Amino acid sequence: MEDAKKDVSRFFMAIWRRIARTYRNRAGSVPYRHTPSGIEVLLIQSRKHKDRWIVPAGGVEEGETTDVAATRETIEEAGVTGSLGVHLGSFRDAENRSITSMYVLEVTEELSDWEEGRKGRERRWFPVQDALREIRWKPKQIDIFESFCVALSIPAAVPNLETTSS
């Protein structure tokens, strides 16, 4: 029942944004960890495309700053906590009428129980290059990953990736 209320609320907010021509503020992170084989990035399963992966991000709540929202959304969607780092940039999505601010988040704890996990959403660790391949269907997320690689001094062949649209 609670999910149905959220869906109805999202529906009416989407209509309102189109009428008011406003953009919804969103925030998220690129969660990462150091392993003996290198840096790994945590991606979450897309809600719409279960066979595809994305970075965790969601809406900024009233009175919340984007950095606080990024931390909260990462806990809710990916079930990890950590140290929020640099702002990687923002991107505008005209189709969904949103502006998303993205941050680096070094993971310090992986929760065994988290909100989206209870709904069946999966999370998975990927080496950086594999994560880049997994998100190639989301061109704006590739741009954020390029900033992530620069921020962490990771050599990445971002421009060589072919993007696909869906």
Side-chain angles (χ1 to χ4, degrees):
M1 183 65 169
E2 190 64 32
D3 287 340
K5 287 180 183 177
K6 285 183 181 178
D7 289 342
V8 170
S9 177
R10 285 185 187 132
F11 173 76
F12 284 111
M13 286 304 296
I15 290 172
W16 173 250
R17 279 192 301 280
R18 291 191 194 288
I19 292 169
R21 299 282 185 222
T22 60
Y23 278 76
R24 177 172 66 118
N25 286 323
R26 300 177 74 246
S29 74
V30 179
Y32 76 97
R33 69 181 179 189
H34 293 277
T35 69
S37 59
I39 293 175
E40 292 182 332
V41 174
L42 185 67
L43 299 179
I44 59 172
Q45 185 180 44
S46 168
R47 283 191 192 110
K48 292 179 185 174
H49 308 282
K50 301 287 186 199
D51 61 330
R52 295 188 175 175
W53 299 91
I54 58 174
V55 295
V60 176
E61 295 178 358
E62 180 101 19
E64 195 175 43
T65 59
T66 56
D67 57 333
V68 170
T71 301
R72 178 184 49 74
E73 286 292 339
T74 303
I75 294 168
E76 289 175 6
E77 293 192 349
V80 294
T81 63
S83 175
L84 197 67
V86 298
H87 179 250
L88 295 171
S90 299
F91 62 87
R92 181 181 303 255
D93 183 338
E95 182 180 332
N96 292 319
R97 304 202 58 77
S98 64
I99 299 172
T100 306
S101 297
M102 296 296 297
Y103 296 83
V104 169
L105 184 125
E106 184 172 9
V107 174
T108 55
E109 182 182 10
E110 196 168 341
L111 307 172
S112 59
D113 181 47
W114 75 101
E115 186 176 329
E116 293 286 326
R118 289 188 297 272
K119 297 176 184 175
R121 194 172 210 179
E122 293 183 31
R123 64 184 176 194
R124 188 176 301 163
W125 289 101
F126 293 91
V128 173
Q129 289 299 323
D130 293 348
L132 284 164
R133 278 189 285 283
E134 290 295 332
I135 63 153
R136 71 181 178 270
W137 68 286
K138 291 281 213 180
K140 289 177 172 48
Q141 289 191 10
I142 290 175
D143 294 342
I144 292 299
F145 257 81
E146 185 175 28
S147 297
F148 168 79
C149 291
V150 169
L152 270 66
S153 301
I154 302 169
V158 176
N160 296 334
L161 291 174
E162 292 183 23
T163 59
T164 58
S165 60
S166 68

